[in-house]
Amino acid sequence: IPGCVIQISSNLYYMWYTATGTNADAPHTGGAALATSTDNVNWTKQGVVIPATTTAVVDYTCGSVAVPRVKVMRDGKWTMFCESRPAGGAWHVIGFTADSYDGPWTIMNSGHTILDGNAGIWWGTDGFANPCVDELDDGSGYVLFTNGHVAHDATNNFALQAGFFTSSAYNGTYAQDTKSPPFGCQLGTY
């Protein structure tokens, strides 16, 4: 599952993606992985950069890290936001920073999550996934776009909502915007 592609130079592209299953990138675990290309068509896998079972998260025992979104901020820091969850638990958003696109990646907030699944936010009962952070043009803050999952039923149906949170710092604390979520739908079996 691709997370994002960034053109590093005229003939160098980096793609951060979700490695799954028992492949050479991430035997038995998966996680956030990196591939490189010189033409944005043919890719060479470089391996996992954040393993699914990372011990950097202190709020729970991590069982999944997926959908990495990487962006360089105005201060020059590279950021990576991922969805994460404990086995069978709600989705959370975690973040990492690096001084370069090559890493090494250091978890934000001393290992605490950026955003948690929250029963108090009706559209995030089962958590928040697919995070994407954007910096406001005037540099005054950040917007975290995400989708929320709302309670599975016996046939695995759930309501999927997309919304956003705002913060004055890219590592949070993010507050729910009063207009969020702007749209949503009921999915069939997922």
Side-chain angles (χ1 to χ4, degrees):
I1 301 171
C4 69
V5 174
I6 295 178
Q7 185 174 6
I8 303 299
S9 65
S10 62
N11 61 351
L12 181 60
Y13 299 84
Y14 271 42
M15 176 175 58
W16 290 268
Y17 67 97
T18 304
T20 59
T22 56
N23 59 42
D25 288 330
H28 311 292
T29 59
L34 173 65
T36 58
S37 173
T38 58
D39 60 7
N40 202 22
V41 175
N42 301 294
W43 294 91
T44 302
K45 294 176 180 179
Q46 302 298 324
V48 171
V49 294
I50 308 293
T53 55
T54 180
T55 57
V57 178
V58 299
D59 296 327
Y60 52 88
T61 301
C62 196
S64 174
V65 173
V67 195
R69 303 286 166 80
V70 175
K71 183 176 181 88
V72 64
M73 298 298 181
R74 279 193 180 87
D75 66 1
K77 281 286 190 189
W78 286 78
T79 60
M80 177 189 298
F81 292 85
C82 305
E83 61 186 51
S84 175
R85 67 186 284 201
W91 290 101
H92 305 274
V93 175
I94 58 175
F96 299 85
T97 60
D99 292 327
S100 165
Y101 51 84
D102 283 324
W105 296 96
T106 302
I107 195 157
M108 294 180 193
N109 299 343
S110 301
H112 296 285
T113 57
I114 302 292
L115 186 64
D116 293 321
N118 185 336
I121 300 175
W122 71 268
W123 60 283
T125 304
D126 281 350
F128 299 102
N130 301 302
C132 184
V133 172
D134 201 10
E135 192 168 10
L136 298 176
D137 288 341
D138 65 4
S140 64
Y142 301 85
V143 180
L144 169 62
F145 298 94
T146 184
N147 65 273
H149 295 233
V150 182
H152 288 77
D153 65 20
T155 59
N156 253 357
N157 293 314
F158 66 93
L160 176 68
Q161 303 288 331
F164 59 96
F165 297 81
T166 58
S167 178
S168 60
Y170 54 73
N171 63 331
T173 302
Y174 282 89
Q176 182 179 8
D177 190 277
T178 58
K179 298 176 184 76
S180 188
F183 60 89
C185 65
Q186 175 74 33
L187 298 179
T189 301
Y190 182 86

